[in-house]
């Protein structure tokens, strides 16, 4: 007879296999799209190679600022004072880990271990991550609502095929299903703990300012990276338009569980830029430049920092 621990491990492995299969399917689809539109991608890479270096440097500085913004938001999600240098290093390492595991699992695991090493119980550490994630999502929605009137007609709802509607309906049912199972009691207790943490944080203005300010700066700096790249390659889009397109595309890509949004965010950004009238080569160069500054250049240093933190038992 299988023990409860063995059954839990088996279920965990099964979920990991299904998650990995889903990620592989999405990434294969992204590779297929790249292969199909290879001339545009190749032209975009050539256009990026001769881009304005000053704007690219601006984008690189903004990309580095995202780690400080993430550290500020993480500190704001915790009442306890966290060690600043280690917190910043953990965010840098988390950004690298996030591109190796799907749906934010890498970044979440790194931050969870860091918070627990700082003395927080596992439940409180998980609650802090939930508070930070929820605040980030709320900030993005508010920014979209504020920028959309300034860019009328830029965001258009695409025609949704029946298959997508059916899939969304099935997902909604899966999310509602726990309400009618014994799991709901645990979910309710976890939600109550998160709400208590939110009230405690907002009772301290400095923590609330760090949480919301860091989340706002994180989204704004990522948008600035894309703005700088579009300016570098000479795309005829206003900065506010690019910011709105980034926020909408990144919010949509968050629904697809790929590592760091690889494939899903790239496709969403390319589609958003294309829908705004950008030629295929221009959209490809902007996406490639954004990914170069936010993923590929920091990836190896981030993994090295992650290894150092693990070796020093900071994670």
């Amino acid at each position: 007879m299988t023990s409860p621990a063995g059954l839990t491990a088996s279920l965990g492995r099964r979920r990991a296999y299904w998650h990995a299969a889903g990620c592989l399917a999405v990434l294969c689809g992204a590779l297929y799209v790249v292969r199909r539109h290879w001339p545009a991608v190749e032209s975009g890479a050539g256009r990026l190679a001769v881009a304005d270096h000053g704007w690219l440097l601006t984008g690189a500085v903004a990309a580095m600022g995202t780690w400080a913004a993430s550290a500020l938001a993480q500190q704001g999600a915790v009442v306890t004072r966290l060690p600043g240098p280690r917190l910043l290093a953990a965010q840098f390492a988390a950004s690298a880990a996030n591109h190796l595991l799907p749906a934010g699992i890498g970044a979440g695991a790194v931050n969870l271990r860091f918070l627990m090493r700082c003395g927080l119980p596992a439940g409180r550490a998980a609650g802090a991550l939930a508070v930070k994630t929820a605040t980030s999502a709320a900030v993005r929605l508010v920014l979209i609502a504020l920028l959309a009137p300034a860019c009328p007609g830029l965001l258009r709802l695409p025609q949704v095929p029946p298959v997508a509607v059916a899939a969304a309906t099935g997902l909604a049912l899966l999310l509602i299903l726990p309400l009618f199972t014994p799991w709901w009691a645990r979910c309710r207790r976890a939600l109550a703990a998160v709400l208590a943490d939110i009230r405690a944080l907002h009772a301290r203005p400095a923590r609330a300012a760090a949480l919301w300010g860091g989340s706002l700066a994180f989204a704004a700096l990522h948008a600035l990276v894309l703005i700088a790249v579009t300016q570098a390659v000479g795309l005829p889009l206003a900065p506010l338009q690019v910011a709105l397109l980034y926020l909408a595309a990144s919010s949509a890509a968050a629904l697809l569980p790929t590592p760091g949004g690889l494939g899903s965010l790239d496709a969403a950004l390319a589609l958003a830029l294309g829908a705004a009238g950008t030629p295929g080569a221009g959209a490809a160069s902007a996406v490639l430049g954004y990914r170069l500054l936010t993923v590929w250049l920091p990836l190896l240093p981030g993994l090295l920092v992650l290894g150092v933190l693990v070796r020093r038992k900071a994670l």
Side-chain angles (χ1 to χ4, degrees):
M1 184 175 179
T2 306
S3 65
L7 181 59
T8 301
S10 177
L11 290 174
R13 286 194 298 268
R14 191 173 301 174
R15 284 195 296 267
Y17 292 152
W18 279 108
H19 211 158
C23 293
L24 182 61
V26 174
L27 290 174
C28 287
L31 290 174
Y32 170 75
V33 172
V34 170
R35 178 67 182 86
R36 185 175 180 182
H37 300 280
W38 178 249
V41 174
E42 187 177 22
S43 177
R47 188 170 179 174
L48 183 64
V50 295
D52 187 298
H53 291 174
W55 275 112
L56 290 180
L57 180 60
T58 301
V61 172
M64 289 188 290
T66 61
W67 308 317
S70 180
L72 182 63
Q74 188 62 78
Q75 174 61 86
V78 178
V79 175
T80 308
R81 179 72 177 176
L82 300 175
R86 283 172 54 198
L87 174 60
L88 182 59
Q91 301 314 301
F92 184 39
S95 68
N98 199 42
H99 296 104
L100 301 179
L101 295 172
I105 293 177
V110 170
N111 280 309
L112 183 66
R113 290 290 301 170
F114 170 75
L115 293 175
M116 292 175 66
R117 287 289 187 182
C118 291
L120 272 72
R124 291 293 181 186
L129 296 182
V131 169
K132 182 184 176 186
T133 301
T135 304
S136 176
V139 164
R140 287 174 183 269
L141 291 177
V142 170
L143 287 175
I144 291 173
L146 292 175
L147 291 177
C151 307
L154 186 64
L155 295 182
R156 304 182 187 89
L157 292 177
Q159 292 185 349
V160 182
V163 175
V165 174
T169 304
L171 179 60
L173 291 175
L174 288 176
L175 293 176
I176 295 173
L177 186 61
L179 297 177
F180 306 97
T181 66
W183 294 346
W184 173 238
R186 295 183 180 181
C187 294
R188 187 170 52 189
R189 288 195 295 269
L191 181 60
V194 171
L195 292 176
D197 287 342
I198 291 175
R199 287 192 294 269
L201 290 170
H202 285 80
R204 304 182 64 173
R207 289 291 185 267
L211 175 63
W212 290 96
S215 299
L216 175 62
F218 184 81
L221 286 168
H222 268 282
L224 180 56
V225 176
L226 186 60
I227 290 170
V229 174
T230 58
Q231 294 293 319
V233 298
L235 296 189
L237 290 172
L240 283 182
Q241 292 178 314
V242 177
L244 180 57
L245 291 173
Y246 164 75
L247 292 168
S250 59
S251 298
L255 302 176
L256 297 176
T258 56
L262 293 177
S264 58
L265 179 57
D266 304 84
L269 282 176
L271 288 174
L273 292 170
T278 303
S285 62
V287 174
L288 289 172
Y290 172 79
R291 282 307 200 178
L292 179 69
L293 296 178
T294 58
V295 177
W296 304 119
L297 288 180
L299 183 58
L300 182 57
L303 292 176
L304 292 175
V305 171
L306 177 61
V308 170
L309 290 175
V310 171
R311 189 169 186 176
R312 294 183 177 178
K313 300 187 182 304
L315 294 178

XYZ file of all heavy atoms in Angstrom, residues 38-53 55-56 228-237 273-274 277-290 292:
307
model
N 10.621 33.022 -40.685
C 12.054 33.204 -40.553
C 12.597 34.411 -41.324
O 13.476 35.114 -40.804
C 12.780 31.936 -40.974
C 14.273 32.086 -40.910
C 15.149 32.131 -41.932
C 15.060 32.267 -39.722
N 16.425 32.301 -41.477
C 16.403 32.391 -40.124
C 14.735 32.322 -38.361
C 17.421 32.577 -39.206
C 15.762 32.512 -37.450
C 17.097 32.634 -37.882
N 12.156 34.706 -42.547
C 12.689 35.899 -43.238
C 12.499 37.179 -42.431
O 13.400 38.017 -42.366
C 11.882 35.927 -44.544
C 11.507 34.508 -44.786
C 11.242 33.946 -43.424
N 11.313 37.338 -41.789
C 11.085 38.533 -40.976
C 12.002 38.545 -39.757
O 12.537 39.588 -39.373
C 9.622 38.603 -40.540
N 12.199 37.365 -39.132
C 13.080 37.284 -37.968
C 14.519 37.601 -38.358
O 15.216 38.347 -37.664
C 12.990 35.879 -37.332
C 14.002 35.728 -36.204
C 11.580 35.618 -36.816
N 14.958 37.050 -39.474
C 16.329 37.303 -39.932
C 16.528 38.777 -40.261
O 17.536 39.382 -39.907
C 16.618 36.434 -41.155
C 18.066 36.495 -41.622
C 18.324 35.556 -42.791
O 17.351 35.200 -43.493
O 19.490 35.179 -42.989
N 15.529 39.373 -40.916
C 15.614 40.799 -41.241
C 15.610 41.643 -39.970
O 16.329 42.646 -39.868
C 14.449 41.198 -42.150
O 14.467 42.577 -42.419
N 14.799 41.222 -38.985
C 14.766 41.950 -37.723
C 16.088 41.895 -36.989
O 16.520 42.883 -36.389
N 16.751 40.741 -37.019
C 18.062 40.627 -36.379
C 19.076 41.546 -37.046
O 19.892 42.186 -36.372
C 18.531 39.174 -36.425
N 19.025 41.624 -38.376
C 19.932 42.535 -39.083
C 19.652 43.987 -38.752
O 20.582 44.785 -38.601
N 18.375 44.310 -38.610
C 18.003 45.685 -38.260
C 18.457 46.026 -36.851
O 18.882 47.150 -36.576
C 16.484 45.829 -38.383
C 15.965 47.248 -38.244
C 14.494 47.280 -38.625
N 13.938 48.615 -38.486
C 12.715 48.950 -38.867
N 11.932 48.039 -39.433
N 12.271 50.184 -38.692
N 18.385 45.058 -35.953
C 18.829 45.285 -34.586
C 20.344 45.474 -34.522
O 20.844 46.234 -33.684
C 18.405 44.098 -33.717
C 18.717 44.181 -32.227
C 17.960 45.331 -31.580
C 18.364 42.871 -31.531
N 21.072 44.808 -35.395
C 22.536 44.903 -35.384
C 23.033 46.312 -35.702
O 24.128 46.691 -35.267
C 23.137 43.900 -36.368
N 22.248 47.080 -36.443
C 22.658 48.445 -36.809
C 21.813 49.479 -36.073
O 21.712 50.624 -36.500
C 22.552 48.650 -38.331
C 23.531 47.746 -39.058
C 21.129 48.395 -38.830
N 21.209 49.098 -34.955
C 20.339 50.001 -34.206
C 21.161 51.059 -33.470
O 22.387 50.951 -33.327
C 19.500 49.201 -33.208
N 20.464 52.082 -32.993
C 21.089 53.169 -32.247
C 21.616 52.642 -30.907
O 20.846 52.190 -30.058
C 20.051 54.277 -32.015
C 20.659 55.520 -31.383
O 21.177 55.417 -30.254
O 20.619 56.595 -32.019
N 22.915 52.703 -30.712
C 23.522 52.151 -29.503
C 23.148 52.939 -28.254
O 23.098 52.374 -27.149
C 25.036 52.102 -29.664
C 25.476 51.093 -30.675
N 26.793 50.952 -31.071
C 24.778 50.178 -31.387
C 26.898 49.985 -31.978
N 25.677 49.514 -32.184
N 20.223 54.335 -27.529
C 18.924 53.863 -27.059
C 19.036 52.454 -26.477
O 18.378 52.121 -25.488
C 17.907 53.887 -28.190
C 17.247 55.215 -28.381
C 17.388 56.072 -29.443
C 16.333 55.852 -27.473
N 16.637 57.198 -29.258
C 15.977 57.093 -28.059
C 15.799 55.511 -26.233
C 15.095 57.975 -27.443
C 14.916 56.393 -25.615
C 14.569 57.600 -26.214
N 19.868 51.612 -27.081
C 20.055 50.269 -26.542
C 20.691 50.322 -25.154
O 20.336 49.527 -24.274
C 20.913 49.428 -27.484
C 20.273 49.031 -28.816
C 21.242 48.202 -29.641
C 18.974 48.251 -28.582
N 12.775 51.846 -25.490
C 14.132 52.162 -25.933
C 14.513 51.343 -27.160
O 15.143 51.864 -28.100
C 15.121 51.900 -24.796
N 14.125 50.075 -27.191
C 14.453 49.235 -28.342
C 13.701 49.705 -29.589
O 14.275 49.758 -30.683
C 14.139 47.760 -28.036
C 14.335 46.901 -29.280
C 15.032 47.251 -26.918
N 12.429 50.041 -29.434
C 11.671 50.524 -30.604
C 12.253 51.835 -31.131
O 12.279 52.060 -32.342
C 10.186 50.720 -30.250
O 10.059 51.638 -29.155
C 9.533 49.401 -29.887
N 12.723 52.695 -30.228
C 13.378 53.922 -30.677
C 14.705 53.615 -31.358
O 15.084 54.262 -32.343
C 13.605 54.859 -29.480
C 12.331 55.400 -28.856
C 11.575 56.333 -29.777
O 12.156 57.168 -30.477
N 10.260 56.190 -29.803
N 15.418 52.615 -30.837
C 16.719 52.263 -31.406
C 16.595 51.753 -32.834
O 17.464 52.011 -33.673
C 17.400 51.216 -30.528
N 15.533 50.995 -33.113
C 15.363 50.430 -34.461
C 14.477 51.303 -35.337
O 14.172 50.948 -36.475
C 14.795 49.001 -34.392
C 15.758 48.087 -33.655
C 13.424 48.977 -33.736
N 14.021 52.447 -34.809
C 13.281 53.414 -35.616
C 11.845 53.041 -35.923
O 11.349 53.359 -37.019
N 11.141 52.411 -34.996
C 9.731 52.094 -35.230
C 8.879 53.346 -35.024
O 9.099 54.100 -34.074
C 9.258 50.991 -34.286
C 9.920 49.621 -34.429
C 9.182 48.599 -33.572
C 9.944 49.165 -35.874
N 7.898 53.575 -35.889
C 7.074 54.796 -35.806
C 5.940 54.675 -34.790
O 4.765 54.809 -35.126
C 6.533 54.923 -37.235
C 6.408 53.513 -37.703
C 7.548 52.760 -37.071
N 6.288 54.423 -33.535
C 5.289 54.305 -32.478
C 5.662 55.254 -31.341
O 6.834 55.359 -30.967
C 5.214 52.876 -31.942
C 4.609 51.814 -32.867
C 4.789 50.430 -32.248
C 3.141 52.084 -33.141
N 2.535 44.487 -31.698
C 3.224 45.484 -32.521
C 2.732 45.421 -33.965
O 2.555 46.454 -34.625
C 4.734 45.256 -32.469
C 5.403 45.546 -31.110
C 6.840 45.052 -31.116
C 5.362 47.047 -30.812
N 2.503 44.202 -34.468
C 1.992 44.061 -35.823
C 0.602 44.638 -35.968
O 0.284 45.289 -36.974
N 0.405 48.261 -36.630
C 0.888 48.745 -37.924
C 2.372 48.611 -38.144
O 2.900 49.111 -39.138
N 3.071 47.916 -37.233
C 4.515 47.740 -37.396
C 4.794 46.623 -38.393
O 4.197 45.551 -38.299
C 5.153 47.382 -36.045
O 4.850 48.402 -35.091
C 6.667 47.266 -36.175
N 5.695 46.835 -39.364
C 6.051 45.742 -40.276
C 6.647 44.552 -39.527
O 7.150 44.686 -38.406
C 7.098 46.391 -41.205
C 6.877 47.855 -41.067
C 6.382 48.087 -39.676
N 6.591 43.370 -40.144
C 7.062 42.159 -39.495
C 8.508 42.233 -39.058
O 8.852 41.816 -37.940
N 9.381 42.765 -39.927
C 10.800 42.862 -39.578
C 11.019 43.812 -38.409
O 11.836 43.552 -37.519
C 11.610 43.324 -40.789
N 10.274 44.920 -38.387
C 10.401 45.870 -37.285
C 9.935 45.272 -35.967
O 10.578 45.445 -34.926
N 8.805 44.548 -35.989
C 8.306 43.904 -34.775
C 9.296 42.851 -34.288
O 9.556 42.733 -33.081
C 6.942 43.272 -35.042
N 9.866 42.082 -35.220
C 10.831 41.048 -34.845
C 12.075 41.667 -34.207
O 12.599 41.154 -33.205
C 11.216 40.222 -36.062
N 12.555 42.782 -34.766
C 13.747 43.421 -34.203
C 13.466 43.965 -32.801
O 14.325 43.872 -31.911
C 14.222 44.549 -35.120
O 13.232 45.563 -35.233
N 12.265 44.498 -32.583
C 11.923 45.021 -31.254
C 11.847 43.898 -30.227
O 12.366 44.032 -29.109
C 10.596 45.775 -31.322
N 11.212 42.786 -30.604
C 11.090 41.663 -29.680
C 12.462 41.055 -29.385
O 12.791 40.748 -28.231
C 10.132 40.599 -30.239
C 10.115 39.360 -29.356
C 8.723 41.163 -30.368
N 13.278 40.891 -30.420
C 14.615 40.337 -30.218
C 15.456 41.234 -29.308
O 16.171 40.748 -28.422
C 15.315 40.152 -31.565
C 14.789 39.026 -32.458
C 15.443 39.092 -33.838
C 15.043 37.665 -31.820
N 15.370 42.541 -29.524
C 16.134 43.462 -28.693
C 15.668 43.455 -27.249
O 16.486 43.460 -26.315
N 14.360 43.409 -27.053
C 13.817 43.356 -25.693
C 14.275 42.091 -24.978
O 14.696 42.130 -23.812
C 12.286 43.418 -25.756
C 11.621 43.179 -24.425
C 11.547 44.189 -23.468
C 11.079 41.928 -24.115
C 10.955 43.966 -22.243
C 10.482 41.701 -22.886
C 10.420 42.719 -21.959
O 9.832 42.486 -20.743
N 16.906 40.261 -25.698
C 18.358 40.294 -25.523
C 18.724 41.018 -24.230
O 19.579 40.557 -23.460
C 19.011 40.984 -26.717
C 20.536 41.128 -26.671
C 21.202 39.767 -26.799
C 21.022 42.057 -27.792
